[in-house]
Amino acid sequence: NAGVTQTPKFQVLKTGQSMTLQCAQDMNHEYMSWYRQDPGMGLRLIHYSVGAGITDQGEVPNGYNVSRSTTEDFPLRLLSAAPSQTSVYFCASSSGGGNTEAFFGQGTRLTVV
Amino acid sequence: KQEVTQIPAALSVPEGENLVLNCSFTDSAIYNLQWFRQDPGKGLTSLLLIQSSQREQTSGRLNASLDKSSGRSTLYIAASQPGDSATYLCAVRSLNSNSGYALNFGKGTSLLVTP
């Protein structure tokens, strides 16, 4: 009964380093998305995918890259980390269509120093 | 662009009180509205999902209502307990979104229930 699994839970990066935040779901959901949560800003959409091989940008995509080679996995890549990317990152999935429920992972807390 | 507002931003009540959290949204063309709970340092737990054609949903001591035409939803918590202390988030899935089926979130209501 895993649902949406994110790894790692915590990460500290130095400015300029790269890393990949992993997200996997076992519910065969078509729609997956990444959000970041910052104090006073709420959750904002970074990238989303409506199915394997299809990705698109959300509200705050700069500095992030995504791909979707399988239905299950939707990794988020930081190519050159900046302090402004210090945030909590959440991955979500839903079964596609607008009427469905969204499920979230437990989040990755990222600090860029 | 859909804007979601939650009032109040913070709320402190004594145990046992019934309370109401408010959520408003600017575009009534929605698929659904979802209420989440977030404990400090944790992820989002889905509490209730209301489809655009529904007026309310209930789960245990929680009742969520939706008035789509006026752009409002309320989350009613009956007989509050200290374990209800958390941040409650309202999120709307819009028909007119440019981002597929993305959710638009409010900034949340931070609830503290004191013994």
Side-chain angles (χ1 to χ4, degrees), chain A residues 21 24 41 60 67 77 93 106 112:
Chain A
L21 280 64
M41 300 291 292
V60 288
S67 61
R77 296 182 186 84
S93 75
Q106 290 300 298
V112 183

Side-chain angles (χ1 to χ4, degrees), chain B:
Chain B
K1 180 180 181 291
Q2 178 77 268
E3 300 288 344
V4 180
T5 303
Q6 289 187 247
I7 294 173
L11 182 64
S12 180
V13 300
E15 181 177 7
E17 271 203 11
N18 302 324
L19 58 100
V20 174
L21 308 182
N22 296 292
C23 173
S24 62
F25 47 96
T26 55
D27 184 354
S28 62
I30 65 170
Y31 286 108
N32 57 42
L33 184 145
Q34 200 166 347
W35 283 94
F36 294 89
R37 168 183 173 140
Q38 186 176 28
D39 293 287
K42 302 295 185 184
L44 279 67
T45 300
S46 180
L47 296 174
L48 289 164
L49 172 71
I50 311 178
Q51 302 295 351
S52 62
S53 59
Q54 297 176 320
R55 297 284 294 185
E56 65 178 327
Q57 282 285 344
T58 298
S59 176
R61 294 183 294 108
L62 304 179
N63 175 278
S65 69
L66 174 65
D67 183 344
K68 193 177 67 169
S69 60
S70 67
R72 295 176 190 272
S73 176
T74 61
L75 179 66
Y76 175 83
I77 303 177
S80 58
Q81 303 170 358
D84 294 330
S85 298
T87 296
Y88 291 81
L89 296 166
C90 167
V92 170
R93 185 168 271 171
S94 304
L95 274 88
N96 300 322
S97 172
N98 293 325
S99 302
Y101 303 119
L103 293 166
N104 292 108
F105 280 86
K107 295 180 181 179
T109 293
S110 178
L111 173 65
L112 177 64
V113 181
T114 55

